Amino acid sequence: MRDLPDVISSGRSRPVSRRDALRFAAAASALAGLGTAAAGLGAPTASAAAPTLIDFAARQIPAEYIRAAGHSGVVNYVSLSRPGSSFGAKPITLPYARSLTAAGLVIVSNYQYGKPGGTAPSDFTRGFAGGVADARTAWQLHTAAGGGRSAPIFFTVDEDIDRNTWNTVALQWFRGINSVLGAQRTGVYGGIDVCQWAAADNVIGISSIPGYRWAWQTRAWSGNRIHPAAVLYQRVVDTASNPGPLVGGLRVDVNDVMARDCGQWNLHP
């Protein structure tokens, strides 16, 4: 989940296949659980888009602008700003969450404090003890904003890592997170390989929709592949060279909802 524009190397998202259309139809069939912003959509055809959630960091975008843009909700931070930065949407606040809910929008929680080249290192480099600390911070901010007690929090791997780095570094961080939240309340954000490794190592939980895991996949570092178990797919990544769409005057990332239970608060009270 990118909180500042970066230039990334990524492939094109794949064309929507008949199988994807059926998956999107399953998501659309339960739009009551995805907020009323997209409630007028019918079952998508092979060329139609899934319901979408946006993510952003610079400031809070009023609910009415999100609805007007046709999105069903947000993925919002349950983490603080790094030293030297001040992001208006980090962390999500109780009043803002209530305004989104009142507008029929859904909320999914994400944690990211550090980043590559930032004033704090990438979170996954902090080891088991760092995972424990980050999980405690994320849970405190999530619940303070009214987040569901059984809802997952997606923890971010915001760079391209190899299997050895996953096994020796990132996995230990996720084990620390699991020791606080349990695997069922833990999700991952990353490229397709990170999502696959997290699922295989059982450090992320399971959606109520069969076959899906708490994996939020970004198109970055994924080529043209989409993991079949991902509940969210970050199709639009806002960068300086490839700006995301404007919502309420702010450029945002756009995420396709791949399963109607993608970890939104209202389904996990």
Side-chain angles (χ1 to χ4, degrees):
M1 184 176 188
R2 296 186 172 266
D3 52 18
L4 279 177
D6 292 309
V7 177
I8 61 170
S9 174
S10 62
R12 295 185 301 111
S13 58
R14 70 183 185 193
V16 178
S17 65
R18 182 175 181 276
R19 179 171 178 269
D20 285 337
L22 293 173
R23 293 169 70 189
F24 295 162
S29 69
L31 282 174
L34 288 172
T36 58
L41 291 177
T45 66
S47 61
T52 52
L53 308 182
I54 59 173
D55 66 89
F56 47 91
R59 58 176 171 81
Q60 296 174 345
I61 301 175
E64 59 265 31
Y65 292 108
I66 298 172
R67 289 199 59 182
H71 302 293
S72 297
V74 305
V75 185
N76 215 143
Y77 288 100
V78 289
S79 50
L80 301 173
S81 295
R82 293 180 294 278
S85 62
S86 180
F87 296 107
K90 296 181 74 170
I92 189 170
T93 61
L94 181 59
Y96 184 55
R98 285 175 171 169
S99 73
L100 296 172
T101 300
L105 300 171
V106 302
I107 304 166
V108 174
S109 289
N110 165 256
Y111 182 91
Q112 183 181 10
Y113 180 69
K115 67 171 294 181
T119 56
S122 295
D123 301 326
F124 74 87
T125 64
R126 290 167 27 81
F128 186 95
V132 170
D134 291 342
R136 288 173 175 166
T137 298
W139 190 245
Q140 189 277 321
L141 295 171
H142 169 88
T143 54
R149 305 291 297 191
S150 62
I153 298 173
F154 291 79
F155 290 82
T156 301
V157 178
D158 201 7
E159 58 187 281
D160 193 14
I161 64 173
D162 60 22
R163 184 60 183 266
N164 182 64
T165 302
W166 169 263
N167 287 340
T168 60
V169 182
L171 181 57
Q172 310 315 310
W173 181 60
F174 275 95
R175 298 288 190 209
I177 293 166
N178 288 171
S179 74
V180 176
L181 299 181
Q184 182 54 28
R185 291 187 299 185
T186 303
V188 65
Y189 167 94
I192 189 169
D193 290 336
V194 165
C195 292
Q196 172 61 41
W197 299 331
D201 287 326
N202 291 311
V203 292
I204 57 173
I206 300 171
S207 169
S208 65
I209 307 305
Y212 290 89
R213 304 292 294 266
W214 300 141
W216 173 17
Q217 183 192 334
T218 176
R219 66 176 293 178
W221 321 301
S222 295
N224 61 355
R225 301 170 296 159
I226 301 177
H227 195 285
V231 293
L232 292 169
Y233 177 66
Q234 191 178 58
R235 173 172 47 86
V236 177
V237 184
D238 173 50
T239 67
S241 59
N242 187 33
L246 287 171
V247 178
L250 187 69
R251 282 166 36 188
V252 300
D253 301 330
V254 180
N255 306 276
D256 292 334
V257 176
M258 308 302 285
R260 62 184 178 270
D261 177 5
C262 58
Q264 60 266 46
W265 294 3
N266 62 318
L267 287 189
H268 299 274

PDB file of all heavy atoms in Angstrom, residues 148-181:
ATOM      1  N   GLY A 148     -13.854  -3.938  13.448  1.00  0.00           N
ATOM      2  CA  GLY A 148     -14.453  -5.175  13.915  1.00  0.00           C
ATOM      3  C   GLY A 148     -13.474  -6.021  14.712  1.00  0.00           C
ATOM      4  O   GLY A 148     -12.299  -6.133  14.354  1.00  0.00           O
ATOM      5  N   ARG A 149     -13.968  -6.640  15.768  1.00  0.00           N
ATOM      6  CA  ARG A 149     -13.099  -7.422  16.645  1.00  0.00           C
ATOM      7  C   ARG A 149     -12.581  -8.691  15.976  1.00  0.00           C
ATOM      8  O   ARG A 149     -11.560  -9.230  16.393  1.00  0.00           O
ATOM      9  CB  ARG A 149     -13.842  -7.789  17.930  1.00  0.00           C
ATOM     10  CG  ARG A 149     -14.430  -6.620  18.694  1.00  0.00           C
ATOM     11  CD  ARG A 149     -13.400  -5.732  19.327  1.00  0.00           C
ATOM     12  NE  ARG A 149     -12.601  -6.398  20.345  1.00  0.00           N
ATOM     13  CZ  ARG A 149     -11.779  -5.767  21.182  1.00  0.00           C
ATOM     14  NH1 ARG A 149     -11.648  -4.439  21.090  1.00  0.00           N
ATOM     15  NH2 ARG A 149     -11.096  -6.430  22.083  1.00  0.00           N
ATOM     16  N   SER A 150     -13.273  -9.167  14.954  1.00  0.00           N
ATOM     17  CA  SER A 150     -12.798 -10.355  14.246  1.00  0.00           C
ATOM     18  C   SER A 150     -12.291 -10.023  12.846  1.00  0.00           C
ATOM     19  O   SER A 150     -11.976 -10.930  12.073  1.00  0.00           O
ATOM     20  CB  SER A 150     -13.915 -11.397  14.147  1.00  0.00           C
ATOM     21  OG  SER A 150     -15.013 -10.897  13.406  1.00  0.00           O
ATOM     22  N   ALA A 151     -12.207  -8.733  12.519  1.00  0.00           N
ATOM     23  CA  ALA A 151     -11.751  -8.333  11.185  1.00  0.00           C
ATOM     24  C   ALA A 151     -10.239  -8.484  11.065  1.00  0.00           C
ATOM     25  O   ALA A 151      -9.502  -8.248  12.022  1.00  0.00           O
ATOM     26  CB  ALA A 151     -12.150  -6.887  10.911  1.00  0.00           C
ATOM     27  N   PRO A 152      -9.748  -8.851   9.896  1.00  0.00           N
ATOM     28  CA  PRO A 152      -8.302  -8.940   9.706  1.00  0.00           C
ATOM     29  C   PRO A 152      -7.678  -7.565   9.515  1.00  0.00           C
ATOM     30  O   PRO A 152      -8.348  -6.598   9.139  1.00  0.00           O
ATOM     31  CB  PRO A 152      -8.173  -9.765   8.416  1.00  0.00           C
ATOM     32  CG  PRO A 152      -9.402  -9.384   7.633  1.00  0.00           C
ATOM     33  CD  PRO A 152     -10.492  -9.222   8.665  1.00  0.00           C
ATOM     34  N   ILE A 153      -6.379  -7.501   9.755  1.00  0.00           N
ATOM     35  CA  ILE A 153      -5.566  -6.340   9.418  1.00  0.00           C
ATOM     36  C   ILE A 153      -4.513  -6.813   8.424  1.00  0.00           C
ATOM     37  O   ILE A 153      -3.835  -7.820   8.652  1.00  0.00           O
ATOM     38  CB  ILE A 153      -4.890  -5.739  10.664  1.00  0.00           C
ATOM     39  CG1 ILE A 153      -5.958  -5.244  11.666  1.00  0.00           C
ATOM     40  CG2 ILE A 153      -3.951  -4.596  10.266  1.00  0.00           C
ATOM     41  CD1 ILE A 153      -5.383  -4.782  12.991  1.00  0.00           C
ATOM     42  N   PHE A 154      -4.392  -6.107   7.309  1.00  0.00           N
ATOM     43  CA  PHE A 154      -3.427  -6.467   6.280  1.00  0.00           C
ATOM     44  C   PHE A 154      -2.095  -5.766   6.571  1.00  0.00           C
ATOM     45  O   PHE A 154      -2.052  -4.541   6.703  1.00  0.00           O
ATOM     46  CB  PHE A 154      -3.947  -6.066   4.899  1.00  0.00           C
ATOM     47  CG  PHE A 154      -5.122  -6.899   4.441  1.00  0.00           C
ATOM     48  CD1 PHE A 154      -6.400  -6.649   4.918  1.00  0.00           C
ATOM     49  CD2 PHE A 154      -4.936  -7.936   3.555  1.00  0.00           C
ATOM     50  CE1 PHE A 154      -7.482  -7.411   4.510  1.00  0.00           C
ATOM     51  CE2 PHE A 154      -6.010  -8.718   3.132  1.00  0.00           C
ATOM     52  CZ  PHE A 154      -7.291  -8.453   3.620  1.00  0.00           C
ATOM     53  N   PHE A 155      -1.030  -6.547   6.675  1.00  0.00           N
ATOM     54  CA  PHE A 155       0.306  -6.028   6.968  1.00  0.00           C
ATOM     55  C   PHE A 155       1.135  -6.033   5.686  1.00  0.00           C
ATOM     56  O   PHE A 155       1.093  -6.975   4.903  1.00  0.00           O
ATOM     57  CB  PHE A 155       0.968  -6.857   8.062  1.00  0.00           C
ATOM     58  CG  PHE A 155       0.327  -6.648   9.420  1.00  0.00           C
ATOM     59  CD1 PHE A 155      -0.828  -7.336   9.765  1.00  0.00           C
ATOM     60  CD2 PHE A 155       0.859  -5.738  10.328  1.00  0.00           C
ATOM     61  CE1 PHE A 155      -1.434  -7.129  11.005  1.00  0.00           C
ATOM     62  CE2 PHE A 155       0.263  -5.531  11.567  1.00  0.00           C
ATOM     63  CZ  PHE A 155      -0.892  -6.227  11.906  1.00  0.00           C
ATOM     64  N   THR A 156       1.917  -4.963   5.507  1.00  0.00           N
ATOM     65  CA  THR A 156       2.461  -4.617   4.203  1.00  0.00           C
ATOM     66  C   THR A 156       3.903  -5.065   3.980  1.00  0.00           C
ATOM     67  O   THR A 156       4.780  -4.805   4.804  1.00  0.00           O
ATOM     68  CB  THR A 156       2.381  -3.093   4.017  1.00  0.00           C
ATOM     69  OG1 THR A 156       1.011  -2.697   4.127  1.00  0.00           O
ATOM     70  CG2 THR A 156       2.932  -2.659   2.670  1.00  0.00           C
ATOM     71  N   VAL A 157       4.125  -5.698   2.828  1.00  0.00           N
ATOM     72  CA  VAL A 157       5.468  -5.935   2.301  1.00  0.00           C
ATOM     73  C   VAL A 157       5.530  -5.131   1.009  1.00  0.00           C
ATOM     74  O   VAL A 157       5.112  -5.585  -0.049  1.00  0.00           O
ATOM     75  CB  VAL A 157       5.732  -7.427   2.049  1.00  0.00           C
ATOM     76  CG1 VAL A 157       7.134  -7.623   1.461  1.00  0.00           C
ATOM     77  CG2 VAL A 157       5.581  -8.226   3.349  1.00  0.00           C
ATOM     78  N   ASP A 158       6.054  -3.910   1.104  1.00  0.00           N
ATOM     79  CA  ASP A 158       5.947  -2.929   0.020  1.00  0.00           C
ATOM     80  C   ASP A 158       7.194  -2.876  -0.842  1.00  0.00           C
ATOM     81  O   ASP A 158       7.673  -1.801  -1.204  1.00  0.00           O
ATOM     82  CB  ASP A 158       5.639  -1.546   0.610  1.00  0.00           C
ATOM     83  CG  ASP A 158       5.008  -0.609  -0.415  1.00  0.00           C
ATOM     84  OD1 ASP A 158       4.689  -1.077  -1.523  1.00  0.00           O
ATOM     85  OD2 ASP A 158       4.839   0.578  -0.106  1.00  0.00           O
ATOM     86  N   GLU A 159       7.742  -4.036  -1.158  1.00  0.00           N
ATOM     87  CA  GLU A 159       8.880  -4.108  -2.064  1.00  0.00           C
ATOM     88  C   GLU A 159       8.993  -5.526  -2.587  1.00  0.00           C
ATOM     89  O   GLU A 159       8.340  -6.452  -2.071  1.00  0.00           O
ATOM     90  CB  GLU A 159      10.174  -3.677  -1.371  1.00  0.00           C
ATOM     91  CG  GLU A 159      10.534  -4.480  -0.139  1.00  0.00           C
ATOM     92  CD  GLU A 159      11.725  -3.885   0.596  1.00  0.00           C
ATOM     93  OE1 GLU A 159      12.869  -4.117   0.137  1.00  0.00           O
ATOM     94  OE2 GLU A 159      11.517  -3.182   1.605  1.00  0.00           O
ATOM     95  N   ASP A 160       9.798  -5.681  -3.615  1.00  0.00           N
ATOM     96  CA  ASP A 160       9.978  -6.977  -4.260  1.00  0.00           C
ATOM     97  C   ASP A 160      11.043  -7.757  -3.510  1.00  0.00           C
ATOM     98  O   ASP A 160      12.221  -7.390  -3.536  1.00  0.00           O
ATOM     99  CB  ASP A 160      10.386  -6.757  -5.719  1.00  0.00           C
ATOM    100  CG  ASP A 160      10.301  -8.019  -6.544  1.00  0.00           C
ATOM    101  OD1 ASP A 160       9.678  -8.996  -6.081  1.00  0.00           O
ATOM    102  OD2 ASP A 160      10.855  -8.019  -7.664  1.00  0.00           O
ATOM    103  N   ILE A 161      10.649  -8.825  -2.833  1.00  0.00           N
ATOM    104  CA  ILE A 161      11.613  -9.625  -2.083  1.00  0.00           C
ATOM    105  C   ILE A 161      11.678 -11.033  -2.670  1.00  0.00           C
ATOM    106  O   ILE A 161      10.749 -11.489  -3.339  1.00  0.00           O
ATOM    107  CB  ILE A 161      11.271  -9.686  -0.579  1.00  0.00           C
ATOM    108  CG1 ILE A 161       9.935 -10.397  -0.331  1.00  0.00           C
ATOM    109  CG2 ILE A 161      11.250  -8.279   0.019  1.00  0.00           C
ATOM    110  CD1 ILE A 161       9.625 -10.624   1.146  1.00  0.00           C
ATOM    111  N   ASP A 162      12.793 -11.716  -2.404  1.00  0.00           N
ATOM    112  CA  ASP A 162      12.935 -13.083  -2.894  1.00  0.00           C
ATOM    113  C   ASP A 162      12.536 -14.076  -1.808  1.00  0.00           C
ATOM    114  O   ASP A 162      12.237 -13.705  -0.674  1.00  0.00           O
ATOM    115  CB  ASP A 162      14.349 -13.346  -3.409  1.00  0.00           C
ATOM    116  CG  ASP A 162      15.430 -13.152  -2.338  1.00  0.00           C
ATOM    117  OD1 ASP A 162      15.121 -13.214  -1.121  1.00  0.00           O
ATOM    118  OD2 ASP A 162      16.604 -12.922  -2.723  1.00  0.00           O
ATOM    119  N   ARG A 163      12.531 -15.349  -2.172  1.00  0.00           N
ATOM    120  CA  ARG A 163      12.071 -16.379  -1.244  1.00  0.00           C
ATOM    121  C   ARG A 163      12.957 -16.466  -0.008  1.00  0.00           C
ATOM    122  O   ARG A 163      12.467 -16.688   1.109  1.00  0.00           O
ATOM    123  CB  ARG A 163      12.004 -17.736  -1.953  1.00  0.00           C
ATOM    124  CG  ARG A 163      11.425 -18.876  -1.092  1.00  0.00           C
ATOM    125  CD  ARG A 163      10.015 -18.555  -0.655  1.00  0.00           C
ATOM    126  NE  ARG A 163       9.435 -19.539   0.219  1.00  0.00           N
ATOM    127  CZ  ARG A 163       8.673 -20.553  -0.185  1.00  0.00           C
ATOM    128  NH1 ARG A 163       8.443 -20.734  -1.481  1.00  0.00           N
ATOM    129  NH2 ARG A 163       8.162 -21.390   0.680  1.00  0.00           N
ATOM    130  N   ASN A 164      14.257 -16.290  -0.187  1.00  0.00           N
ATOM    131  CA  ASN A 164      15.144 -16.357   0.967  1.00  0.00           C
ATOM    132  C   ASN A 164      14.846 -15.233   1.951  1.00  0.00           C
ATOM    133  O   ASN A 164      14.829 -15.458   3.171  1.00  0.00           O
ATOM    134  CB  ASN A 164      16.609 -16.286   0.519  1.00  0.00           C
ATOM    135  CG  ASN A 164      17.563 -16.397   1.684  1.00  0.00           C
ATOM    136  OD1 ASN A 164      17.627 -17.424   2.355  1.00  0.00           O
ATOM    137  ND2 ASN A 164      18.316 -15.338   1.947  1.00  0.00           N
ATOM    138  N   THR A 165      14.592 -14.029   1.458  1.00  0.00           N
ATOM    139  CA  THR A 165      14.250 -12.907   2.340  1.00  0.00           C
ATOM    140  C   THR A 165      12.926 -13.168   3.029  1.00  0.00           C
ATOM    141  O   THR A 165      12.751 -12.837   4.212  1.00  0.00           O
ATOM    142  CB  THR A 165      14.192 -11.593   1.538  1.00  0.00           C
ATOM    143  OG1 THR A 165      15.447 -11.372   0.904  1.00  0.00           O
ATOM    144  CG2 THR A 165      13.860 -10.415   2.432  1.00  0.00           C
ATOM    145  N   TRP A 166      11.997 -13.765   2.312  1.00  0.00           N
ATOM    146  CA  TRP A 166      10.737 -14.130   2.957  1.00  0.00           C
ATOM    147  C   TRP A 166      10.983 -15.121   4.095  1.00  0.00           C
ATOM    148  O   TRP A 166      10.531 -14.920   5.228  1.00  0.00           O
ATOM    149  CB  TRP A 166       9.751 -14.732   1.951  1.00  0.00           C
ATOM    150  CG  TRP A 166       8.560 -15.346   2.634  1.00  0.00           C
ATOM    151  CD1 TRP A 166       8.380 -16.664   2.955  1.00  0.00           C
ATOM    152  CD2 TRP A 166       7.417 -14.658   3.166  1.00  0.00           C
ATOM    153  NE1 TRP A 166       7.204 -16.848   3.633  1.00  0.00           N
ATOM    154  CE2 TRP A 166       6.589 -15.630   3.776  1.00  0.00           C
ATOM    155  CE3 TRP A 166       7.021 -13.323   3.172  1.00  0.00           C
ATOM    156  CZ2 TRP A 166       5.380 -15.301   4.387  1.00  0.00           C
ATOM    157  CZ3 TRP A 166       5.816 -12.993   3.788  1.00  0.00           C
ATOM    158  CH2 TRP A 166       5.010 -13.976   4.380  1.00  0.00           C
ATOM    159  N   ASN A 167      11.714 -16.188   3.798  1.00  0.00           N
ATOM    160  CA  ASN A 167      11.907 -17.248   4.785  1.00  0.00           C
ATOM    161  C   ASN A 167      12.686 -16.791   6.008  1.00  0.00           C
ATOM    162  O   ASN A 167      12.381 -17.195   7.136  1.00  0.00           O
ATOM    163  CB  ASN A 167      12.643 -18.424   4.144  1.00  0.00           C
ATOM    164  CG  ASN A 167      11.769 -19.206   3.185  1.00  0.00           C
ATOM    165  OD1 ASN A 167      10.549 -19.139   3.235  1.00  0.00           O
ATOM    166  ND2 ASN A 167      12.399 -19.951   2.282  1.00  0.00           N
ATOM    167  N   THR A 168      13.702 -15.958   5.798  1.00  0.00           N
ATOM    168  CA  THR A 168      14.615 -15.615   6.899  1.00  0.00           C
ATOM    169  C   THR A 168      14.273 -14.303   7.598  1.00  0.00           C
ATOM    170  O   THR A 168      14.727 -14.076   8.719  1.00  0.00           O
ATOM    171  CB  THR A 168      16.062 -15.536   6.381  1.00  0.00           C
ATOM    172  OG1 THR A 168      16.152 -14.526   5.364  1.00  0.00           O
ATOM    173  CG2 THR A 168      16.511 -16.869   5.801  1.00  0.00           C
ATOM    174  N   VAL A 169      13.479 -13.450   6.946  1.00  0.00           N
ATOM    175  CA  VAL A 169      13.200 -12.128   7.521  1.00  0.00           C
ATOM    176  C   VAL A 169      11.697 -11.893   7.672  1.00  0.00           C
ATOM    177  O   VAL A 169      11.182 -11.788   8.788  1.00  0.00           O
ATOM    178  CB  VAL A 169      13.830 -11.003   6.653  1.00  0.00           C
ATOM    179  CG1 VAL A 169      13.577  -9.642   7.295  1.00  0.00           C
ATOM    180  CG2 VAL A 169      15.318 -11.230   6.470  1.00  0.00           C
ATOM    181  N   ALA A 170      10.995 -11.819   6.553  1.00  0.00           N
ATOM    182  CA  ALA A 170       9.580 -11.435   6.605  1.00  0.00           C
ATOM    183  C   ALA A 170       8.733 -12.438   7.360  1.00  0.00           C
ATOM    184  O   ALA A 170       7.821 -12.055   8.115  1.00  0.00           O
ATOM    185  CB  ALA A 170       9.046 -11.245   5.184  1.00  0.00           C
ATOM    186  N   LEU A 171       8.998 -13.722   7.185  1.00  0.00           N
ATOM    187  CA  LEU A 171       8.198 -14.743   7.862  1.00  0.00           C
ATOM    188  C   LEU A 171       8.282 -14.607   9.370  1.00  0.00           C
ATOM    189  O   LEU A 171       7.284 -14.811  10.084  1.00  0.00           O
ATOM    190  CB  LEU A 171       8.647 -16.134   7.408  1.00  0.00           C
ATOM    191  CG  LEU A 171       7.884 -17.318   8.004  1.00  0.00           C
ATOM    192  CD1 LEU A 171       6.392 -17.227   7.722  1.00  0.00           C
ATOM    193  CD2 LEU A 171       8.457 -18.635   7.456  1.00  0.00           C
ATOM    194  N   GLN A 172       9.461 -14.224   9.873  1.00  0.00           N
ATOM    195  CA  GLN A 172       9.604 -14.052  11.326  1.00  0.00           C
ATOM    196  C   GLN A 172       8.739 -12.894  11.820  1.00  0.00           C
ATOM    197  O   GLN A 172       8.152 -12.953  12.911  1.00  0.00           O
ATOM    198  CB  GLN A 172      11.075 -13.821  11.679  1.00  0.00           C
ATOM    199  CG  GLN A 172      12.027 -14.845  11.077  1.00  0.00           C
ATOM    200  CD  GLN A 172      11.530 -16.276  11.234  1.00  0.00           C
ATOM    201  OE1 GLN A 172      11.161 -16.703  12.335  1.00  0.00           O
ATOM    202  NE2 GLN A 172      11.518 -17.038  10.139  1.00  0.00           N
ATOM    203  N   TRP A 173       8.663 -11.847  11.036  1.00  0.00           N
ATOM    204  CA  TRP A 173       7.799 -10.711  11.382  1.00  0.00           C
ATOM    205  C   TRP A 173       6.339 -11.151  11.446  1.00  0.00           C
ATOM    206  O   TRP A 173       5.623 -10.833  12.403  1.00  0.00           O
ATOM    207  CB  TRP A 173       7.995  -9.605  10.348  1.00  0.00           C
ATOM    208  CG  TRP A 173       7.217  -8.359  10.560  1.00  0.00           C
ATOM    209  CD1 TRP A 173       7.277  -7.513  11.654  1.00  0.00           C
ATOM    210  CD2 TRP A 173       6.289  -7.763   9.652  1.00  0.00           C
ATOM    211  NE1 TRP A 173       6.429  -6.431  11.470  1.00  0.00           N
ATOM    212  CE2 TRP A 173       5.811  -6.569  10.250  1.00  0.00           C
ATOM    213  CE3 TRP A 173       5.823  -8.109   8.397  1.00  0.00           C
ATOM    214  CZ2 TRP A 173       4.884  -5.731   9.624  1.00  0.00           C
ATOM    215  CZ3 TRP A 173       4.903  -7.279   7.760  1.00  0.00           C
ATOM    216  CH2 TRP A 173       4.444  -6.108   8.378  1.00  0.00           C
ATOM    217  N   PHE A 174       5.905 -11.908  10.450  1.00  0.00           N
ATOM    218  CA  PHE A 174       4.531 -12.387  10.464  1.00  0.00           C
ATOM    219  C   PHE A 174       4.269 -13.346  11.622  1.00  0.00           C
ATOM    220  O   PHE A 174       3.171 -13.347  12.196  1.00  0.00           O
ATOM    221  CB  PHE A 174       4.169 -13.038   9.126  1.00  0.00           C
ATOM    222  CG  PHE A 174       3.714 -12.045   8.095  1.00  0.00           C
ATOM    223  CD1 PHE A 174       4.606 -11.527   7.169  1.00  0.00           C
ATOM    224  CD2 PHE A 174       2.404 -11.605   8.069  1.00  0.00           C
ATOM    225  CE1 PHE A 174       4.197 -10.592   6.228  1.00  0.00           C
ATOM    226  CE2 PHE A 174       1.977 -10.663   7.144  1.00  0.00           C
ATOM    227  CZ  PHE A 174       2.874 -10.154   6.216  1.00  0.00           C
ATOM    228  N   ARG A 175       5.247 -14.142  11.995  1.00  0.00           N
ATOM    229  CA  ARG A 175       5.069 -15.013  13.170  1.00  0.00           C
ATOM    230  C   ARG A 175       4.838 -14.167  14.425  1.00  0.00           C
ATOM    231  O   ARG A 175       4.032 -14.515  15.292  1.00  0.00           O
ATOM    232  CB  ARG A 175       6.294 -15.897  13.361  1.00  0.00           C
ATOM    233  CG  ARG A 175       6.594 -16.863  12.237  1.00  0.00           C
ATOM    234  CD  ARG A 175       5.625 -18.004  12.174  1.00  0.00           C
ATOM    235  NE  ARG A 175       6.075 -19.022  11.240  1.00  0.00           N
ATOM    236  CZ  ARG A 175       5.290 -19.834  10.558  1.00  0.00           C
ATOM    237  NH1 ARG A 175       3.973 -19.745  10.699  1.00  0.00           N
ATOM    238  NH2 ARG A 175       5.780 -20.741   9.736  1.00  0.00           N
ATOM    239  N   GLY A 176       5.569 -13.050  14.525  1.00  0.00           N
ATOM    240  CA  GLY A 176       5.339 -12.153  15.658  1.00  0.00           C
ATOM    241  C   GLY A 176       3.949 -11.559  15.643  1.00  0.00           C
ATOM    242  O   GLY A 176       3.284 -11.459  16.681  1.00  0.00           O
ATOM    243  N   ILE A 177       3.468 -11.156  14.461  1.00  0.00           N
ATOM    244  CA  ILE A 177       2.103 -10.629  14.330  1.00  0.00           C
ATOM    245  C   ILE A 177       1.094 -11.687  14.746  1.00  0.00           C
ATOM    246  O   ILE A 177       0.159 -11.421  15.515  1.00  0.00           O
ATOM    247  CB  ILE A 177       1.858 -10.177  12.880  1.00  0.00           C
ATOM    248  CG1 ILE A 177       2.734  -8.973  12.531  1.00  0.00           C
ATOM    249  CG2 ILE A 177       0.380  -9.845  12.662  1.00  0.00           C
ATOM    250  CD1 ILE A 177       2.808  -8.685  11.041  1.00  0.00           C
ATOM    251  N   ASN A 178       1.290 -12.915  14.254  1.00  0.00           N
ATOM    252  CA  ASN A 178       0.376 -14.004  14.588  1.00  0.00           C
ATOM    253  C   ASN A 178       0.320 -14.272  16.083  1.00  0.00           C
ATOM    254  O   ASN A 178      -0.734 -14.667  16.615  1.00  0.00           O
ATOM    255  CB  ASN A 178       0.806 -15.291  13.881  1.00  0.00           C
ATOM    256  CG  ASN A 178       0.556 -15.304  12.383  1.00  0.00           C
ATOM    257  OD1 ASN A 178       1.011 -16.219  11.693  1.00  0.00           O
ATOM    258  ND2 ASN A 178      -0.142 -14.319  11.857  1.00  0.00           N
ATOM    259  N   SER A 179       1.434 -14.070  16.774  1.00  0.00           N
ATOM    260  CA  SER A 179       1.460 -14.348  18.213  1.00  0.00           C
ATOM    261  C   SER A 179       0.557 -13.402  18.985  1.00  0.00           C
ATOM    262  O   SER A 179       0.145 -13.712  20.116  1.00  0.00           O
ATOM    263  CB  SER A 179       2.894 -14.260  18.740  1.00  0.00           C
ATOM    264  OG  SER A 179       3.342 -12.911  18.827  1.00  0.00           O
ATOM    265  N   VAL A 180       0.233 -12.268  18.405  1.00  0.00           N
ATOM    266  CA  VAL A 180      -0.653 -11.290  19.039  1.00  0.00           C
ATOM    267  C   VAL A 180      -2.083 -11.417  18.510  1.00  0.00           C
ATOM    268  O   VAL A 180      -3.042 -11.495  19.283  1.00  0.00           O
ATOM    269  CB  VAL A 180      -0.140  -9.853  18.798  1.00  0.00           C
ATOM    270  CG1 VAL A 180      -1.105  -8.819  19.363  1.00  0.00           C
ATOM    271  CG2 VAL A 180       1.252  -9.673  19.389  1.00  0.00           C
ATOM    272  N   LEU A 181      -2.228 -11.442  17.193  1.00  0.00           N
ATOM    273  CA  LEU A 181      -3.554 -11.409  16.573  1.00  0.00           C
ATOM    274  C   LEU A 181      -4.099 -12.785  16.231  1.00  0.00           C
ATOM    275  O   LEU A 181      -5.315 -12.942  16.054  1.00  0.00           O
ATOM    276  CB  LEU A 181      -3.514 -10.574  15.288  1.00  0.00           C
ATOM    277  CG  LEU A 181      -3.118  -9.111  15.416  1.00  0.00           C
ATOM    278  CD1 LEU A 181      -3.162  -8.442  14.045  1.00  0.00           C
ATOM    279  CD2 LEU A 181      -4.029  -8.379  16.395  1.00  0.00           C
TER     280      LEU A 181
END
